Amino acid sequence: FQTFEGDLKWHHRDITYWIQNYSEDLPRDVIDDAFARAFAVWSAVTPLTFTRVYGPEADILIQFGVREHGDGYPFDGKNGLLAHAFPPGPGIQGDAHFDDEELWTLGKGVVVPTHFGNADGAPCHFPFTFEGRSYSACTTDGRSDDTPWCSTTADYDTDRRFGFCPSEKLYTQDGNGDGKPCVFPFTFEGRSYSTCTTDGRSDGYRWCSTTANYDQDKLFGFCPTRVDSAVTGGNSAGEPCVFPFIFLGKQYSTCTREGRGDGHLWCATTSNFDRDKKWGFCPDQGYSLFLVAAHEFGHALGLDHSSVPEALMYPMYSFTEGPPLHEDDVKGIQHLYGPRPEPQPQPPTAQPTAPPTVCATGPPTTRPSERPTAGPTGPPAAGPTGPPTAGPSEAPTVPVDPAEDICKVNIFDAIAEIRNYLHFFKEGKYWRFSKGKGRRVQGPFLITDTWPALPRKLDSAFEDQLTKKTFFFSGRQVWVYTGTSVVGPRRLDKLGLGPEVTQVTGALPQGGGKVLLFSRQRFWSFDVKTQTVDPRSAGSVEQTYPGVPLNTHDIFQYQEKAYFCQDRFYWRVNSRNEVNQVDEVGYVTFDILQCP
Amino acid sequence: APRPHKPTVVVFPGELRTNLTDKELAEEYLFRYGYTHVAELSNDKQSLSRGLRLLQRRLALPETGELDKTTLEAMRAPRCGVPDLGK
């Protein structure tokens, strides 16, 4: 292994990272997960911990860029140079940059999330067979409404599992069109458009009008990228191939290697390359963002390139599905930071009191058509037939090691008041806190000990006082626990939240079975009984809660007050006399948890 | 038997590094990843061979000092942009 000259390394263990922007090649939650797993590769063999923050004060800044992207080390278009990173230190040191002219995948081809259909949002499976024909991209075949779809298994003819592919016919992203789909044709500067366009923009993003007349209504949205058929690199990235196209006088109706010496498949994005010279590379397996990130984070922690071809720190990319770390990598990183401390054995401690449980042998409580299904993130939910869980089992109330000390956590995944305890969730664990008991904190407990179906990373949670149902949100999925009985994961669509809502960042119960659900700067009124939001109730945080930051990542209610969290801080809002007013700002750990 | 047609190589607009000769590719690669310094860039075979030998040793390739097929393939492989040698 090699380290940088002078053994450059971090001199603290709790490393922070900030994902500054995103590639359009992968869904954002897949990118977040890939980076989190890439850091976990290193935290598994060192005392280091990695915490995500949302600002430039982070130790490691992660950025996607093309060509010259601001550091004097330009990227080189598709293939060749994939990414680079700087050794530990202040400023740009420790940062990792990824070439956005590459096609970022998980190493096995494009990842296309689906919407609606019957596959619960599972990604497309390419290739898939439909009526005996093989497809390696979304298709409108078999549909009269021209909406692109795909199979989520290898064989649609036998499995019948399908979903719709991202398409401007289904929705748009951002802009001010409220996520509505494009309206074609639409009029822009007097001209009629029947497809998305980059006209009028200098950043190259494809957009459309969400009404028939943009000149008049000024309502627009950005068109989802069709990664399954869009080209990368070349001079028209993001555009779809046009078949057939003319190249050197010959007609091509599939991607071709003709004219290239490097063997990469390409296509034209207009019908005549000889005339228009518009082209790009066709989708291929792409590069695994997880593996490349794990390599670059090795640099960001102080490792230089290795000469061992099987090592993660060898400079050349090669795809593997096995554990990425080689012995050489482990020796190198432990030379800098030492091994991961083993947890110390602890004496048994008193059993915490158990929450009320529902008899586990009752019938399934979900309607047949709502039977919990395997979501893209996990196995079928255990449901009521799982073993009864009488609260956290065996977890000590004394932290096992410093990394589990709640006072060391900067930012929590979610905070919610459940059964009069304030619960703090973080990376698969949670703590319980109650002011009433002399500000004692209990935990950490394993989330899965109490709520087996839940994923490791939560976005928010709330308990409905009337029905005692507890709702948990993660990405675009929701779980509803009533005692130990669970319904979910279900998609947010079932609650009436459209695909543009990528996560639920918080909830404020309003009484009477109504709860405000928040997603970044917007919120909706949710009816706990019907379990749907009222689409007309959409509101803006900025207007309704003046004074709180706009990029809060967790919102919860505690003892009748609303808390808006951003980074390590909270803004407390008092709603006396129908006026929302910030009446306190403080640290979550110092002012709520009273950490020393 | 039909004769394989000679592949036509086209300059694609917007693409960097098109149609470099093997030697040009090697010189650019050795310089970018720290194996040669500007001062050493010259036409004599020695400097190129020295740089190639350094690279072959560093990347655990057969040490020939020659711009052979294995070395060229390595230079065309997708990789990390951090230089292999130097600061």
Side-chain angles (χ1 to χ4, degrees), chain A residues 67 76 80-83 85 259-260 277 279 281 287 295-296 299 305 307 314-317, chain B residues 8-10 12-17 29 32 58-60 74 78-82 84 87:
Chain A
R67 313 283 164 122
D76 61 351
L81 197 163
L82 305 180
R260 300 197 63 81
K277 297 282 188 290
W279 70 284
F281 292 102
Y287 297 108
H295 175 99
E296 298 308 330
H299 287 315
H305 283 149
S307 296
Y314 190 70
M316 304 334 195
Y317 171 85
Chain B
T8 45
V9 179
V10 169
F12 284 83
E15 192 167 43
L16 301 176
R17 288 190 289 113
Y29 193 98
R32 174 191 280 265
R58 188 81 171 84
L59 298 183
R79 57 160 290 162
C80 167
V82 173
D84 298 329
K87 286 217 173 70

mmCIF file of all heavy atoms in Angstrom, chain A residues 67 76 80-83 85 259-260 277 279 281 287 295-296 299 305 307 314-317, chain B residues 8-10 12-17 29 32 58-60 74 78-82 84 87:
data_model
loop_
_atom_site.group_PDB
_atom_site.id
_atom_site.type_symbol
_atom_site.label_atom_id
_atom_site.label_comp_id
_atom_site.label_asym_id
_atom_site.label_seq_id
_atom_site.Cartn_x
_atom_site.Cartn_y
_atom_site.Cartn_z
ATOM 1 N N ARG A 67 -15.500 18.039 -17.456
ATOM 2 C CA ARG A 67 -14.380 18.813 -18.006
ATOM 3 C C ARG A 67 -13.746 19.649 -16.876
ATOM 4 O O ARG A 67 -13.479 19.148 -15.817
ATOM 5 C CB ARG A 67 -14.855 19.683 -19.170
ATOM 6 C CG ARG A 67 -15.739 18.959 -20.210
ATOM 7 C CD ARG A 67 -14.955 18.068 -21.151
ATOM 8 N NE ARG A 67 -15.811 17.125 -21.870
ATOM 9 C CZ ARG A 67 -15.894 17.051 -23.210
ATOM 10 N NH1 ARG A 67 -15.200 17.878 -23.955
ATOM 11 N NH2 ARG A 67 -16.650 16.161 -23.793
ATOM 12 N N ASP A 76 -12.139 14.316 -18.613
ATOM 13 C CA ASP A 76 -11.779 14.136 -20.028
ATOM 14 C C ASP A 76 -12.896 13.539 -20.852
ATOM 15 O O ASP A 76 -12.657 12.778 -21.783
ATOM 16 C CB ASP A 76 -10.564 13.217 -20.099
ATOM 17 C CG ASP A 76 -10.875 11.841 -19.497
ATOM 18 O OD1 ASP A 76 -11.978 11.710 -18.897
ATOM 19 O OD2 ASP A 76 -10.074 10.924 -19.639
ATOM 20 N N GLY A 80 -12.009 6.766 -19.821
ATOM 21 C CA GLY A 80 -10.711 7.347 -19.412
ATOM 22 C C GLY A 80 -10.709 7.657 -17.935
ATOM 23 O O GLY A 80 -10.919 6.782 -17.089
ATOM 24 N N LEU A 81 -10.625 8.900 -17.577
ATOM 25 C CA LEU A 81 -10.519 9.363 -16.187
ATOM 26 C C LEU A 81 -11.921 9.434 -15.598
ATOM 27 O O LEU A 81 -12.783 10.105 -16.137
ATOM 28 C CB LEU A 81 -9.867 10.723 -16.211
ATOM 29 C CG LEU A 81 -9.259 11.330 -14.975
ATOM 30 C CD1 LEU A 81 -8.341 12.463 -15.409
ATOM 31 C CD2 LEU A 81 -10.307 11.851 -14.042
ATOM 32 N N LEU A 82 -12.181 8.695 -14.526
ATOM 33 C CA LEU A 82 -13.555 8.582 -14.006
ATOM 34 C C LEU A 82 -13.817 9.540 -12.850
ATOM 35 O O LEU A 82 -14.915 10.045 -12.672
ATOM 36 C CB LEU A 82 -13.799 7.159 -13.490
ATOM 37 C CG LEU A 82 -13.536 6.018 -14.466
ATOM 38 C CD1 LEU A 82 -13.841 4.698 -13.780
ATOM 39 C CD2 LEU A 82 -14.375 6.182 -15.727
ATOM 40 N N ALA A 83 -12.811 9.740 -12.007
ATOM 41 C CA ALA A 83 -13.020 10.542 -10.788
ATOM 42 C C ALA A 83 -11.640 10.821 -10.186
ATOM 43 O O ALA A 83 -10.652 10.206 -10.594
ATOM 44 C CB ALA A 83 -13.879 9.764 -9.787
ATOM 45 N N ALA A 85 -9.696 12.506 -6.239
ATOM 46 C CA ALA A 85 -9.934 13.013 -4.881
ATOM 47 C C ALA A 85 -8.630 13.575 -4.343
ATOM 48 O O ALA A 85 -7.556 13.263 -4.850
ATOM 49 C CB ALA A 85 -10.431 11.870 -3.980
ATOM 50 N N GLY A 259 -16.861 3.594 -37.243
ATOM 51 C CA GLY A 259 -16.272 4.928 -37.190
ATOM 52 C C GLY A 259 -15.451 5.179 -35.956
ATOM 53 O O GLY A 259 -14.795 6.214 -35.830
ATOM 54 N N ARG A 260 -15.448 4.199 -35.038
ATOM 55 C CA ARG A 260 -14.682 4.407 -33.795
ATOM 56 C C ARG A 260 -13.582 3.353 -33.677
ATOM 57 O O ARG A 260 -13.750 2.219 -34.105
ATOM 58 C CB ARG A 260 -15.566 4.311 -32.559
ATOM 59 C CG ARG A 260 -16.688 5.320 -32.503
ATOM 60 C CD ARG A 260 -17.225 5.400 -31.078
ATOM 61 N NE ARG A 260 -16.226 5.861 -30.144
ATOM 62 C CZ ARG A 260 -15.925 7.159 -29.973
ATOM 63 N NH1 ARG A 260 -16.540 8.073 -30.672
ATOM 64 N NH2 ARG A 260 -14.996 7.510 -29.100
ATOM 65 N N LYS A 277 -24.299 16.099 -37.266
ATOM 66 C CA LYS A 277 -23.137 15.825 -36.395
ATOM 67 C C LYS A 277 -23.541 15.784 -34.907
ATOM 68 O O LYS A 277 -22.764 16.108 -34.039
ATOM 69 C CB LYS A 277 -22.040 16.878 -36.588
ATOM 70 C CG LYS A 277 -21.440 16.924 -37.999
ATOM 71 C CD LYS A 277 -20.446 15.769 -38.183
ATOM 72 C CE LYS A 277 -19.664 15.869 -39.491
ATOM 73 N NZ LYS A 277 -20.536 15.608 -40.663
ATOM 74 N N TRP A 279 -24.396 13.495 -31.654
ATOM 75 C CA TRP A 279 -24.219 12.064 -31.301
ATOM 76 C C TRP A 279 -23.960 11.908 -29.807
ATOM 77 O O TRP A 279 -23.796 12.880 -29.080
ATOM 78 C CB TRP A 279 -23.033 11.525 -32.078
ATOM 79 C CG TRP A 279 -21.729 12.100 -31.568
ATOM 80 C CD1 TRP A 279 -21.229 13.351 -31.793
ATOM 81 C CD2 TRP A 279 -20.792 11.451 -30.715
ATOM 82 N NE1 TRP A 279 -20.063 13.531 -31.133
ATOM 83 C CE2 TRP A 279 -19.748 12.376 -30.462
ATOM 84 C CE3 TRP A 279 -20.738 10.181 -30.126
ATOM 85 C CZ2 TRP A 279 -18.660 12.077 -29.660
ATOM 86 C CZ3 TRP A 279 -19.657 9.880 -29.318
ATOM 87 C CH2 TRP A 279 -18.629 10.815 -29.098
ATOM 88 N N PHE A 281 -22.817 8.381 -26.683
ATOM 89 C CA PHE A 281 -22.580 6.948 -26.451
ATOM 90 C C PHE A 281 -23.870 6.304 -25.938
ATOM 91 O O PHE A 281 -24.600 6.877 -25.155
ATOM 92 C CB PHE A 281 -21.464 6.770 -25.415
ATOM 93 C CG PHE A 281 -20.108 7.195 -25.913
ATOM 94 C CD1 PHE A 281 -19.568 8.419 -25.525
ATOM 95 C CD2 PHE A 281 -19.391 6.389 -26.776
ATOM 96 C CE1 PHE A 281 -18.322 8.820 -26.001
ATOM 97 C CE2 PHE A 281 -18.141 6.789 -27.242
ATOM 98 C CZ PHE A 281 -17.605 8.014 -26.851
ATOM 99 N N TYR A 287 -20.376 2.546 -14.842
ATOM 100 C CA TYR A 287 -19.373 2.323 -13.788
ATOM 101 C C TYR A 287 -20.089 2.331 -12.440
ATOM 102 O O TYR A 287 -20.973 3.166 -12.195
ATOM 103 C CB TYR A 287 -18.301 3.421 -13.824
ATOM 104 C CG TYR A 287 -17.523 3.416 -15.126
ATOM 105 C CD1 TYR A 287 -17.700 4.410 -16.060
ATOM 106 C CD2 TYR A 287 -16.651 2.369 -15.432
ATOM 107 C CE1 TYR A 287 -17.023 4.392 -17.270
ATOM 108 C CE2 TYR A 287 -15.968 2.345 -16.636
ATOM 109 C CZ TYR A 287 -16.151 3.346 -17.546
ATOM 110 O OH TYR A 287 -15.477 3.302 -18.743
ATOM 111 N N HIS A 295 -13.081 3.773 -3.701
ATOM 112 C CA HIS A 295 -11.677 4.036 -4.060
ATOM 113 C C HIS A 295 -11.312 5.483 -3.753
ATOM 114 O O HIS A 295 -10.307 5.777 -3.094
ATOM 115 C CB HIS A 295 -11.474 3.744 -5.553
ATOM 116 C CG HIS A 295 -10.118 4.093 -6.086
ATOM 117 N ND1 HIS A 295 -9.113 3.166 -6.262
ATOM 118 C CD2 HIS A 295 -9.601 5.293 -6.471
ATOM 119 C CE1 HIS A 295 -8.034 3.764 -6.732
ATOM 120 N NE2 HIS A 295 -8.298 5.074 -6.870
ATOM 121 N N GLU A 296 -12.149 6.451 -4.236
ATOM 122 C CA GLU A 296 -11.825 7.872 -4.038
ATOM 123 C C GLU A 296 -11.830 8.230 -2.551
ATOM 124 O O GLU A 296 -11.007 9.023 -2.091
ATOM 125 C CB GLU A 296 -12.821 8.745 -4.802
ATOM 126 C CG GLU A 296 -12.805 8.532 -6.305
ATOM 127 C CD GLU A 296 -11.408 8.643 -6.909
ATOM 128 O OE1 GLU A 296 -10.582 9.393 -6.370
ATOM 129 O OE2 GLU A 296 -11.143 7.955 -7.918
ATOM 130 N N HIS A 299 -8.556 7.654 -1.031
ATOM 131 C CA HIS A 299 -7.649 8.822 -1.197
ATOM 132 C C HIS A 299 -7.987 9.895 -0.183
ATOM 133 O O HIS A 299 -7.111 10.472 0.452
ATOM 134 C CB HIS A 299 -7.811 9.404 -2.604
ATOM 135 C CG HIS A 299 -7.221 8.596 -3.690
ATOM 136 N ND1 HIS A 299 -5.966 8.029 -3.634
ATOM 137 C CD2 HIS A 299 -7.730 8.221 -4.910
ATOM 138 C CE1 HIS A 299 -5.709 7.360 -4.747
ATOM 139 N NE2 HIS A 299 -6.762 7.473 -5.541
ATOM 140 N N HIS A 305 -2.267 5.254 -4.460
ATOM 141 C CA HIS A 305 -2.539 4.072 -5.282
ATOM 142 C C HIS A 305 -1.668 2.898 -4.857
ATOM 143 O O HIS A 305 -0.549 3.071 -4.423
ATOM 144 C CB HIS A 305 -2.306 4.395 -6.755
ATOM 145 C CG HIS A 305 -3.425 5.186 -7.341
ATOM 146 N ND1 HIS A 305 -3.261 6.103 -8.350
ATOM 147 C CD2 HIS A 305 -4.742 5.205 -7.031
ATOM 148 C CE1 HIS A 305 -4.422 6.647 -8.656
ATOM 149 N NE2 HIS A 305 -5.333 6.131 -7.868
ATOM 150 N N SER A 307 -0.058 -1.021 -5.839
ATOM 151 C CA SER A 307 0.434 -1.763 -7.015
ATOM 152 C C SER A 307 -0.170 -3.161 -7.061
ATOM 153 O O SER A 307 0.190 -3.966 -7.917
ATOM 154 C CB SER A 307 1.960 -1.861 -6.963
ATOM 155 O OG SER A 307 2.496 -0.574 -7.064
ATOM 156 N N TYR A 314 -5.935 0.033 -6.296
ATOM 157 C CA TYR A 314 -5.253 -0.045 -7.599
ATOM 158 C C TYR A 314 -5.925 0.972 -8.523
ATOM 159 O O TYR A 314 -7.160 1.129 -8.477
ATOM 160 C CB TYR A 314 -5.416 -1.454 -8.168
ATOM 161 C CG TYR A 314 -4.573 -1.764 -9.379
ATOM 162 C CD1 TYR A 314 -3.193 -1.902 -9.265
ATOM 163 C CD2 TYR A 314 -5.165 -1.925 -10.628
ATOM 164 C CE1 TYR A 314 -2.425 -2.201 -10.376
ATOM 165 C CE2 TYR A 314 -4.410 -2.225 -11.743
ATOM 166 C CZ TYR A 314 -3.033 -2.357 -11.618
ATOM 167 O OH TYR A 314 -2.268 -2.647 -12.727
ATOM 168 N N PRO A 315 -5.166 1.708 -9.339
ATOM 169 C CA PRO A 315 -5.786 2.843 -10.046
ATOM 170 C C PRO A 315 -6.808 2.466 -11.111
ATOM 171 O O PRO A 315 -7.644 3.297 -11.454
ATOM 172 C CB PRO A 315 -4.606 3.561 -10.671
ATOM 173 C CG PRO A 315 -3.422 2.682 -10.544
ATOM 174 C CD PRO A 315 -3.706 1.690 -9.473
ATOM 175 N N MET A 316 -6.764 1.224 -11.661
ATOM 176 C CA MET A 316 -7.689 0.895 -12.753
ATOM 177 C C MET A 316 -9.019 0.409 -12.195
ATOM 178 O O MET A 316 -9.079 -0.279 -11.200
ATOM 179 C CB MET A 316 -7.121 -0.202 -13.629
ATOM 180 C CG MET A 316 -5.774 0.011 -14.260
ATOM 181 S SD MET A 316 -5.279 1.686 -14.535
ATOM 182 C CE MET A 316 -3.945 1.448 -15.645
ATOM 183 N N TYR A 317 -10.110 0.769 -12.935
ATOM 184 C CA TYR A 317 -11.455 0.326 -12.525
ATOM 185 C C TYR A 317 -11.651 -1.129 -12.936
ATOM 186 O O TYR A 317 -11.341 -1.514 -14.051
ATOM 187 C CB TYR A 317 -12.513 1.184 -13.213
ATOM 188 C CG TYR A 317 -13.927 0.685 -13.034
ATOM 189 C CD1 TYR A 317 -14.661 1.041 -11.906
ATOM 190 C CD2 TYR A 317 -14.532 -0.162 -13.971
ATOM 191 C CE1 TYR A 317 -15.964 0.594 -11.717
ATOM 192 C CE2 TYR A 317 -15.826 -0.618 -13.785
ATOM 193 C CZ TYR A 317 -16.539 -0.235 -12.668
ATOM 194 O OH TYR A 317 -17.826 -0.683 -12.487
ATOM 195 N N THR B 8 -13.328 2.703 -41.092
ATOM 196 C CA THR B 8 -13.094 4.142 -41.256
ATOM 197 C C THR B 8 -13.182 4.779 -39.876
ATOM 198 O O THR B 8 -14.058 4.435 -39.087
ATOM 199 C CB THR B 8 -14.235 4.768 -42.089
ATOM 200 O OG1 THR B 8 -15.458 4.245 -41.590
ATOM 201 C CG2 THR B 8 -14.102 4.433 -43.528
ATOM 202 N N VAL B 9 -12.232 5.621 -39.554
ATOM 203 C CA VAL B 9 -12.255 6.252 -38.237
ATOM 204 C C VAL B 9 -12.640 7.711 -38.436
ATOM 205 O O VAL B 9 -12.046 8.420 -39.257
ATOM 206 C CB VAL B 9 -10.868 6.144 -37.565
ATOM 207 C CG1 VAL B 9 -10.913 6.836 -36.203
ATOM 208 C CG2 VAL B 9 -10.505 4.678 -37.377
ATOM 209 N N VAL B 10 -13.679 8.130 -37.698
ATOM 210 C CA VAL B 10 -14.254 9.457 -37.895
ATOM 211 C C VAL B 10 -13.905 10.343 -36.705
ATOM 212 O O VAL B 10 -13.795 9.854 -35.584
ATOM 213 C CB VAL B 10 -15.809 9.301 -38.000
ATOM 214 C CG1 VAL B 10 -16.489 10.643 -37.926
ATOM 215 C CG2 VAL B 10 -16.161 8.577 -39.277
ATOM 216 N N PHE B 12 -15.260 12.599 -34.123
ATOM 217 C CA PHE B 12 -16.569 12.930 -33.576
ATOM 218 C C PHE B 12 -16.489 14.284 -32.876
ATOM 219 O O PHE B 12 -15.633 14.489 -32.016
ATOM 220 C CB PHE B 12 -17.010 11.860 -32.580
ATOM 221 C CG PHE B 12 -17.483 10.604 -33.245
ATOM 222 C CD1 PHE B 12 -16.578 9.639 -33.668
ATOM 223 C CD2 PHE B 12 -18.812 10.405 -33.503
ATOM 224 C CE1 PHE B 12 -17.008 8.486 -34.296
ATOM 225 C CE2 PHE B 12 -19.257 9.243 -34.131
ATOM 226 C CZ PHE B 12 -18.361 8.285 -34.528
ATOM 227 N N PRO B 13 -17.396 15.219 -33.231
ATOM 228 C CA PRO B 13 -17.325 16.564 -32.641
ATOM 229 C C PRO B 13 -17.543 16.494 -31.128
ATOM 230 O O PRO B 13 -18.325 15.685 -30.643
ATOM 231 C CB PRO B 13 -18.462 17.335 -33.323
ATOM 232 C CG PRO B 13 -19.361 16.307 -33.899
ATOM 233 C CD PRO B 13 -18.530 15.098 -34.163
ATOM 234 N N GLY B 14 -16.799 17.335 -30.430
ATOM 235 C CA GLY B 14 -17.007 17.433 -28.973
ATOM 236 C C GLY B 14 -16.187 16.423 -28.207
ATOM 237 O O GLY B 14 -16.182 16.385 -26.978
ATOM 238 N N GLU B 15 -15.489 15.541 -28.910
ATOM 239 C CA GLU B 15 -14.733 14.534 -28.172
ATOM 240 C C GLU B 15 -13.285 14.974 -28.023
ATOM 241 O O GLU B 15 -12.685 15.433 -28.969
ATOM 242 C CB GLU B 15 -14.791 13.211 -28.931
ATOM 243 C CG GLU B 15 -14.289 12.049 -28.111
ATOM 244 C CD GLU B 15 -14.645 10.706 -28.733
ATOM 245 O OE1 GLU B 15 -14.503 10.563 -29.950
ATOM 246 O OE2 GLU B 15 -15.078 9.847 -27.986
ATOM 247 N N LEU B 16 -12.759 14.831 -26.774
ATOM 248 C CA LEU B 16 -11.351 15.170 -26.578
ATOM 249 C C LEU B 16 -10.502 14.003 -27.051
ATOM 250 O O LEU B 16 -11.000 12.921 -27.293
ATOM 251 C CB LEU B 16 -11.121 15.400 -25.076
ATOM 252 C CG LEU B 16 -11.951 16.492 -24.421
ATOM 253 C CD1 LEU B 16 -11.665 16.524 -22.932
ATOM 254 C CD2 LEU B 16 -11.635 17.819 -25.069
ATOM 255 N N ARG B 17 -9.265 14.169 -27.112
ATOM 256 C CA ARG B 17 -8.273 13.093 -27.345
ATOM 257 C C ARG B 17 -8.727 12.172 -28.461
ATOM 258 O O ARG B 17 -8.951 11.004 -28.264
ATOM 259 C CB ARG B 17 -8.113 12.264 -26.085
ATOM 260 C CG ARG B 17 -7.380 12.982 -24.988
ATOM 261 C CD ARG B 17 -7.059 12.018 -23.877
ATOM 262 N NE ARG B 17 -8.239 11.610 -23.140
ATOM 263 C CZ ARG B 17 -8.695 10.357 -23.186
ATOM 264 N NH1 ARG B 17 -8.124 9.480 -23.971
ATOM 265 N NH2 ARG B 17 -9.716 10.034 -22.479
ATOM 266 N N TYR B 29 -0.105 10.085 -21.279
ATOM 267 C CA TYR B 29 -0.458 9.293 -20.079
ATOM 268 C C TYR B 29 0.676 9.354 -19.051
ATOM 269 O O TYR B 29 0.455 9.605 -17.861
ATOM 270 C CB TYR B 29 -0.697 7.847 -20.494
ATOM 271 C CG TYR B 29 -1.360 6.973 -19.459
ATOM 272 C CD1 TYR B 29 -2.720 6.727 -19.509
ATOM 273 C CD2 TYR B 29 -0.619 6.402 -18.422
ATOM 274 C CE1 TYR B 29 -3.335 5.910 -18.562
ATOM 275 C CE2 TYR B 29 -1.227 5.594 -17.477
ATOM 276 C CZ TYR B 29 -2.578 5.352 -17.552
ATOM 277 O OH TYR B 29 -3.187 4.556 -16.599
ATOM 278 N N ARG B 32 0.623 12.748 -17.437
ATOM 279 C CA ARG B 32 -0.536 13.059 -16.601
ATOM 280 C C ARG B 32 -0.460 12.350 -15.257
ATOM 281 O O ARG B 32 -0.841 12.897 -14.233
ATOM 282 C CB ARG B 32 -1.804 12.665 -17.345
ATOM 283 C CG ARG B 32 -3.100 12.810 -16.536
ATOM 284 C CD ARG B 32 -4.253 12.145 -17.274
ATOM 285 N NE ARG B 32 -4.803 12.962 -18.348
ATOM 286 C CZ ARG B 32 -5.862 13.759 -18.208
ATOM 287 N NH1 ARG B 32 -6.445 13.867 -17.038
ATOM 288 N NH2 ARG B 32 -6.321 14.460 -19.217
ATOM 289 N N ARG B 58 5.082 -0.013 -11.406
ATOM 290 C CA ARG B 58 4.070 0.543 -10.479
ATOM 291 C C ARG B 58 2.735 -0.150 -10.620
ATOM 292 O O ARG B 58 2.016 -0.356 -9.656
ATOM 293 C CB ARG B 58 3.904 2.040 -10.776
ATOM 294 C CG ARG B 58 3.035 2.780 -9.788
ATOM 295 C CD ARG B 58 3.829 3.127 -8.530
ATOM 296 N NE ARG B 58 3.071 4.020 -7.677
ATOM 297 C CZ ARG B 58 2.152 3.627 -6.796
ATOM 298 N NH1 ARG B 58 1.887 2.336 -6.684
ATOM 299 N NH2 ARG B 58 1.512 4.480 -6.062
ATOM 300 N N LEU B 59 2.398 -0.525 -11.852
ATOM 301 C CA LEU B 59 1.087 -1.136 -12.090
ATOM 302 C C LEU B 59 1.198 -2.654 -12.194
ATOM 303 O O LEU B 59 0.273 -3.317 -12.655
ATOM 304 C CB LEU B 59 0.453 -0.555 -13.368
ATOM 305 C CG LEU B 59 0.178 0.941 -13.340
ATOM 306 C CD1 LEU B 59 -0.515 1.387 -14.615
ATOM 307 C CD2 LEU B 59 -0.678 1.310 -12.140
ATOM 308 N N ALA B 60 2.337 -3.176 -11.742
ATOM 309 C CA ALA B 60 2.516 -4.650 -11.711
ATOM 310 C C ALA B 60 2.274 -5.245 -13.087
ATOM 311 O O ALA B 60 1.631 -6.283 -13.231
ATOM 312 C CB ALA B 60 1.568 -5.250 -10.685
ATOM 313 N N ALA B 74 -3.578 -1.190 -20.752
ATOM 314 C CA ALA B 74 -3.689 -0.601 -19.416
ATOM 315 C C ALA B 74 -3.940 0.901 -19.549
ATOM 316 O O ALA B 74 -4.742 1.487 -18.830
ATOM 317 C CB ALA B 74 -2.434 -0.865 -18.616
ATOM 318 N N PRO B 78 -10.363 2.447 -18.113
ATOM 319 C CA PRO B 78 -10.913 3.513 -17.269
ATOM 320 C C PRO B 78 -10.227 3.482 -15.904
ATOM 321 O O PRO B 78 -9.935 2.413 -15.390
ATOM 322 C CB PRO B 78 -12.397 3.159 -17.150
ATOM 323 C CG PRO B 78 -12.509 1.739 -17.555
ATOM 324 C CD PRO B 78 -11.352 1.425 -18.440
ATOM 325 N N ARG B 79 -9.962 4.692 -15.347
ATOM 326 C CA ARG B 79 -9.177 4.663 -14.120
ATOM 327 C C ARG B 79 -9.405 5.937 -13.297
ATOM 328 O O ARG B 79 -10.129 6.843 -13.693
ATOM 329 C CB ARG B 79 -7.699 4.594 -14.454
ATOM 330 C CG ARG B 79 -7.192 5.721 -15.327
ATOM 331 C CD ARG B 79 -5.705 5.837 -15.183
ATOM 332 N NE ARG B 79 -5.346 6.333 -13.858
ATOM 333 C CZ ARG B 79 -4.118 6.210 -13.307
ATOM 334 N NH1 ARG B 79 -3.187 5.557 -13.957
ATOM 335 N NH2 ARG B 79 -3.872 6.723 -12.110
ATOM 336 N N CYS B 80 -8.748 5.992 -12.135
ATOM 337 C CA CYS B 80 -8.827 7.150 -11.237
ATOM 338 C C CYS B 80 -7.878 8.225 -11.741
ATOM 339 O O CYS B 80 -6.837 7.938 -12.301
ATOM 340 C CB CYS B 80 -8.408 6.724 -9.835
ATOM 341 S SG CYS B 80 -8.087 8.063 -8.702
ATOM 342 N N GLY B 81 -8.249 9.487 -11.516
ATOM 343 C CA GLY B 81 -7.447 10.579 -12.045
ATOM 344 C C GLY B 81 -6.301 11.006 -11.149
ATOM 345 O O GLY B 81 -5.517 11.862 -11.518
ATOM 346 N N VAL B 82 -6.197 10.457 -9.938
ATOM 347 C CA VAL B 82 -5.082 10.844 -9.072
ATOM 348 C C VAL B 82 -3.789 10.285 -9.658
ATOM 349 O O VAL B 82 -3.727 9.141 -10.061
ATOM 350 C CB VAL B 82 -5.289 10.280 -7.641
ATOM 351 C CG1 VAL B 82 -4.077 10.533 -6.778
ATOM 352 C CG2 VAL B 82 -6.536 10.896 -7.021
ATOM 353 N N ASP B 84 -0.199 8.568 -10.226
ATOM 354 C CA ASP B 84 0.350 7.390 -9.534
ATOM 355 C C ASP B 84 1.634 7.734 -8.794
ATOM 356 O O ASP B 84 2.014 7.090 -7.841
ATOM 357 C CB ASP B 84 0.632 6.271 -10.551
ATOM 358 C CG ASP B 84 -0.670 5.840 -11.236
ATOM 359 O OD1 ASP B 84 -1.722 5.920 -10.574
ATOM 360 O OD2 ASP B 84 -0.633 5.488 -12.419
ATOM 361 N N LYS B 87 3.488 14.172 -5.898
ATOM 362 C CA LYS B 87 2.564 14.702 -4.869
ATOM 363 C C LYS B 87 1.149 14.653 -5.378
ATOM 364 O O LYS B 87 0.916 15.028 -6.480
ATOM 365 C CB LYS B 87 2.948 16.154 -4.548
ATOM 366 C CG LYS B 87 4.217 16.278 -3.706
ATOM 367 C CD LYS B 87 4.069 17.430 -2.715
ATOM 368 C CE LYS B 87 5.213 17.507 -1.756
ATOM 369 N NZ LYS B 87 6.460 17.918 -2.367
#
